[in-house]
């Protein structure tokens, strides 16, 4: 068994997965107070929101993690975008949206850049995590100089080794069960990827840096299995989605709590492959559609459909991100989910270290 990751600074080697769109610092603070490492997802936050959320976390005086996307945004292609709008037209028309209202709108996810790096330099989080690979070396070196530990998701051994060669402190082994976007950046074909325990068992002898298990971990038995398979920590997302401190919508919560609702990998909502609960668009268009623009350019065209359907109380066009396993989801304080998972760790972890004061 791997030694648990003490540099996380939390009492337990348990990371609450960053979940853009479903949480803010509130969930991270609750998990931190309960002994896990709380995470702030930054992908959908503008600079002002990011600053105020990081200030909340830094002010609490506990270790914390902030997470960024490091994708390479493609140049928008008007032909591809027009084809996507055309593909969505029958559903837009059924909702009474005219062509103009159905045109793409809204901001798309921006990758980690120099301005965000300046904020990191001011706030100095304990851990910085990346999804979709790493930023360029100059930025990565700046992150490293803040003193933060750097971790990143990998979905194949090739990706894990690439990250190790770039000097990450730990690799997140994201199994196929995981909810939300696949973090792949070299191997987008999901048939090359595998479930969490298989990744751990296959990588443990091949990757020297510690592995963090992500995907399908919902209870103490899952924690035990991940740690026994070579993980030095676990990262849990879906099990926290119904917590009182999460910002998950009521439409999303209702579906998460349905034990029979199936999930699938889909590219419809952003253009990138992600796991979510099946909804009408996924069933009627197929969960994967070649006409969807590449990540992250598929989402703006869907925004008006989603908005109109949600106003009618329907989740037909809403991304309902969820892992395959939802047994740990409960409508309860996050501390209860942390306590349930904590039973899977066999040791008494040391108390966390105090942090430097927050910048004003
Ligand atoms: C609603 C939701 C949103 C997510 N958003 C992010 C994100 O912003 N950044 C990230 O690195 N991972 C994100 N993920 C993926 C998680 O980091 C993690 O891989 C996954 O939750 C683990 O699987 P589990 O959901 O079965 O616990 C998200 C997952 C979910 C369920």
């Amino acid at each position: 068994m791997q030694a648990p990751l003490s540099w996380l600074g939390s009492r337990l080697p348990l990371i609450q997965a960053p979940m853009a769109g479903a949480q803010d610092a509130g969930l991270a603070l609750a998990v931190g107070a309960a002994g896990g490492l709380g995470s702030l997802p930054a992908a959908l936050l503008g600079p002002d929101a990011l600053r105020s959320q990081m200030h909340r976390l830094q002010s609490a005086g506990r270790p914390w993690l902030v997470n960024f996307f490091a994708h390479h945004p493609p140049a928008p292609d008007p032909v591809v975008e027009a084809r996507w709008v055309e593909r969505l037209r029958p559903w837009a028309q059924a909702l009474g949206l005219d062509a103009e209202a159905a045109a793409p709108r809204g901001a798309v996810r921006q990758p980690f850049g120099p301005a965000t790096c300046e904020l990191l330099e001011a706030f100095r989080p304990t851990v910085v995590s990346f999804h979709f690979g790493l930023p360029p070396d100059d930025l990565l070196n700046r992150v490293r100089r803040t003193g933060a530990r750097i971790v990143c998701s990998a979905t194949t051994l090739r990706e894990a080794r690439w990250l190790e060669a770039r000097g990450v402190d730990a690799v997140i082994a994201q199994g196929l069960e995981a909810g939300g976007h696949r973090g792949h950046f070299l191997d987008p074909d999901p048939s090359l990827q595998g479930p969490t325990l298989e990744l751990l068992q296959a990588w443990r002898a091949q990757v020297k840096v510690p592995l963090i298990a992500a995907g399908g971990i919902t209870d103490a038995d899952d924690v035990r299995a991940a740690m026994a398979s070579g993980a030095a920590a676990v990262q849990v997302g879906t099990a926290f989605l119904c917590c009182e401190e999460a910002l998950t919508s009521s439409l999303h919560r209702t579906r998460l709590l349905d034990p029979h609702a199936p999930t699938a990998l889909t590219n419809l909502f952003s253009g990138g492959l992600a796991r979510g609960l099946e909804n009408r668009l996924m069933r009627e268009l197929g969960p994967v559609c070649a006409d969807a623009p590449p990540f992250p350019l598929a989402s703006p065209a869907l925004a008006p459909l989603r908005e109109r359907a949600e106003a009618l109380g329907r989740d037909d066009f809403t991304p309902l991100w969820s892992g395959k396993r939802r047994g740990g989801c409960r409508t309860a304080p996050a501390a209860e989910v942390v306590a349930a998972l904590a039973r899977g760790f066999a040791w008494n972890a040391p108390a966390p270290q105090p942090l430097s004061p927050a910048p004003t």
Side-chain angles (χ1 to χ4, degrees):
M1 192 174 294
Q2 274 270 332
L5 273 194
S6 57
W7 48 254
L8 293 179
S10 47
R11 187 169 55 80
L12 300 162
L14 163 64
I15 302 172
Q16 163 254 312
M19 295 186 286
Q23 56 133 151
D24 66 3
L27 179 64
L29 287 168
V31 169
L37 183 70
S39 298
L40 175 69
L44 298 173
L45 300 179
D48 292 344
L50 180 56
R51 174 181 284 277
S52 80
Q53 294 288 315
M54 293 211 287
H55 192 265
R56 283 177 73 189
L57 285 161
Q58 182 65 285
S59 305
R62 288 198 184 88
W64 55 289
L65 179 154
V66 60
N67 165 262
F68 300 96
F69 288 179
H71 58 291
H72 301 280
D77 180 337
V79 175
V80 173
E81 294 199 351
R83 196 186 303 136
W84 184 226
V85 170
E86 204 43 47
R87 205 78 164 84
L88 297 173
R89 190 176 296 282
W91 291 277
Q93 281 174 344
L95 283 166
L97 292 167
D98 58 33
E100 201 183 315
R105 68 164 181 258
V108 293
R109 298 166 180 89
Q110 292 299 323
F112 183 76
T116 320
C117 199
E118 273 179 36
L119 277 180
L120 274 192
E121 286 159 346
F123 282 94
R124 298 181 171 270
T126 322
V127 182
V128 175
S129 92
F130 292 102
H131 213 48
F132 309 125
L134 293 170
D137 280 341
D138 56 330
L139 283 179
L140 195 64
N141 288 335
R142 281 174 60 185
V143 175
R144 206 170 271 128
R145 282 197 294 272
T146 68
R149 298 290 185 148
I150 298 172
V151 305
C152 182
S153 303
T155 64
T156 61
L157 180 58
R158 187 161 77 119
E159 291 179 347
R161 283 185 167 146
W162 186 91
L163 293 174
E164 183 175 49
R166 300 281 303 278
V168 297
D169 294 286
V171 168
I172 304 166
Q174 192 195 31
L176 270 174
E177 308 92 321
H181 282 93
R182 310 288 310 138
H184 51 234
F185 52 94
L186 298 176
D187 297 314
D189 178 353
S191 72
L192 298 174
Q193 306 170 9
T196 307
L197 293 186
E198 277 182 25
L199 301 187
L200 294 170
Q201 285 153 14
W203 299 1
R204 60 197 291 183
Q206 313 276 340
V207 179
K208 288 183 197 67
V209 294
L211 299 175
I212 300 170
I217 297 169
T218 68
D219 61 23
D221 286 342
D222 299 331
V223 170
R224 241 174 253 122
M227 300 304 279
S229 299
V234 299
Q235 174 162 300
V236 176
T238 300
F240 286 107
L241 278 176
C242 291
C243 289
E244 289 164 7
E245 299 88 345
L247 302 178
T248 315
S249 70
S250 57
L251 283 175
H252 195 172
R253 284 172 192 262
T254 306
R255 297 292 307 286
L256 284 161
L257 293 169
D258 171 357
H260 305 297
T263 67
L265 291 177
T266 178
N267 70 339
L268 302 181
F269 299 101
S270 65
L273 213 54
R275 183 174 293 285
L277 291 152
E278 280 179 14
N279 65 358
R280 180 175 166 205
L281 189 66
M282 286 163 73
R283 279 190 301 273
E284 294 183 1
L285 190 51
V288 176
C289 176
D291 287 338
F295 181 86
L297 300 176
S299 45
L302 265 171
L305 286 81
R306 174 181 175 179
E307 199 177 290
R308 179 68 61 93
E310 285 182 358
L312 300 169
R314 290 177 6 209
D315 63 20
D316 300 348
F317 306 98
T318 304
L320 302 166
W321 300 146
S322 167
K324 257 191 185 172
R325 306 192 57 226
R326 295 191 301 285
C329 287
R330 57 179 88 187
T331 309
E336 280 189 26
V337 174
V338 172
L341 294 163
R343 288 192 273 277
F345 299 108
W347 58 87
N348 286 320
Q353 300 298 308
L355 290 178
S356 50
T360 48

